[in-house]
Amino acid sequence: MARVAIVTGGTRGIGEAISLALKDMGVTVAANYAGNDEKAKAFSDRTGIAAFKFDVGDFDATQAGVKAIEEAIGPVDIVVNNAGITRDGTLLKMTYDMWDDVIRTNLGGCFNLAKATFPGMRDRKWGRIVNIGSINGQAGQYGQVNYAAAKSGIHGFTKALAQEGARFGVTVNAIAPGYIDTDMVAAVPADVLEKIVAKIPVGRLGQASEIARGVAFLCSEEGGFVTGSTLSINGGQHMY
């Protein structure tokens, strides 16, 4: 019987690439999305992957969303916490809502999905959780105290939960992407983007498929001895 995976933010950008990579592995994928019904339908029509709408930052909505997925597809074996938002601004200009929105979605979403799925993985003695962090959670970034804090929190969350899951066959890992060629990065002004690329030793932006391949390995049977790790995929931009 095929494994079942939830990929949050799984219908666009890096999330879409992850959903497709897991499907190619023979996994039955449920792609979560938050708002754009039209694009989610187009994604499902194009890929054959079912899309489920709920706000990962809302605890009750996430519990209900996971229950709906399990009723429709089966018990969840794999969770990829990819959903994330930005509300950038320096601390002097950042409102509490800008702070809270990002922490609630980017970090709170990891807790909410794990709370809904980790007990079942533990009971069945097999599970994979992969949390998508960021180079900016490792190195910091001007104007992103909210985003950097949330992503840095993901890395700590990963290490702690990995210790709870290890003896039950549940691995918990993180991936910290660098600058990836997505719609979000494409919106950066050309002159700014040129300066960003100049700081990447390999001399280019990453591709969403490169992140997806890392996720696929960590979610595989072969990845069972890797837990509590953060895999940096950033073209050498930040090494530590």
Side-chain angles (χ1 to χ4, degrees), residues 55-223:
D55 175 5
V56 300
D58 182 319
F59 181 84
D60 291 334
T62 299
Q63 308 315 296
V66 171
K67 183 178 180 181
I69 289 169
E70 293 192 322
E71 288 176 351
I73 301 174
V76 174
D77 305 294
I78 298 167
V79 169
V80 182
N81 285 307
N82 168 72
I85 62 172
T86 56
R87 299 287 186 269
D88 293 351
T90 61
L91 183 65
L92 291 178
K93 296 179 180 179
M94 186 174 291
T95 65
Y96 176 77
D97 285 345
M98 291 166 69
W99 166 268
D100 191 54
D101 285 351
V102 170
I103 298 296
R104 174 183 175 276
T105 297
N106 297 13
L107 182 56
C110 291
F111 172 82
N112 293 341
L113 262 295
K115 190 69 174 175
T117 60
F118 183 81
M121 295 178 185
R122 174 181 156 141
D123 289 346
R124 294 187 299 274
K125 301 294 190 292
W126 198 96
R128 301 285 187 265
I129 297 175
V130 179
N131 304 311
I132 304 301
S134 171
I135 187 175
N136 292 346
Q138 296 172 313
Q141 178 60 43
Y142 183 91
Q144 282 195 327
V145 295
N146 49 5
Y147 185 83
K151 292 298 189 178
S152 181
I154 284 173
H155 299 152
F157 175 91
T158 296
K159 293 177 186 300
L161 188 58
Q163 295 180 51
E164 296 184 29
R167 67 191 179 97
F168 299 101
V170 181
T171 68
V172 187
N173 293 288
I175 287 183
Y179 285 87
I180 307 300
D181 190 9
T182 61
D183 290 344
M184 184 184 297
V185 172
V188 174
D191 59 327
V192 176
L193 189 58
E194 184 178 343
K195 292 176 182 177
I196 290 172
V197 173
K199 295 179 180 179
I200 302 173
V202 302
R204 64 173 177 84
L205 297 174
Q207 299 296 314
S209 60
E210 294 176 301
I211 306 303
R213 285 195 291 273
V215 172
F217 167 70
L218 292 174
C219 292
S220 69
E221 296 288 346
E222 291 80 2

Side-chain angles (χ1 to χ4, degrees), residues 21-32:
L22 293 178
K23 181 185 177 185
D24 288 345
M25 287 172 57
V27 174
T28 301
V29 179
N32 153 265

Side-chain angles (χ1 to χ4, degrees), residues 36-48:
N36 196 317
D37 295 325
E38 184 178 340
K39 289 193 175 180
K41 183 179 184 304
F43 163 84
S44 292
D45 290 345
R46 184 174 68 254
T47 64

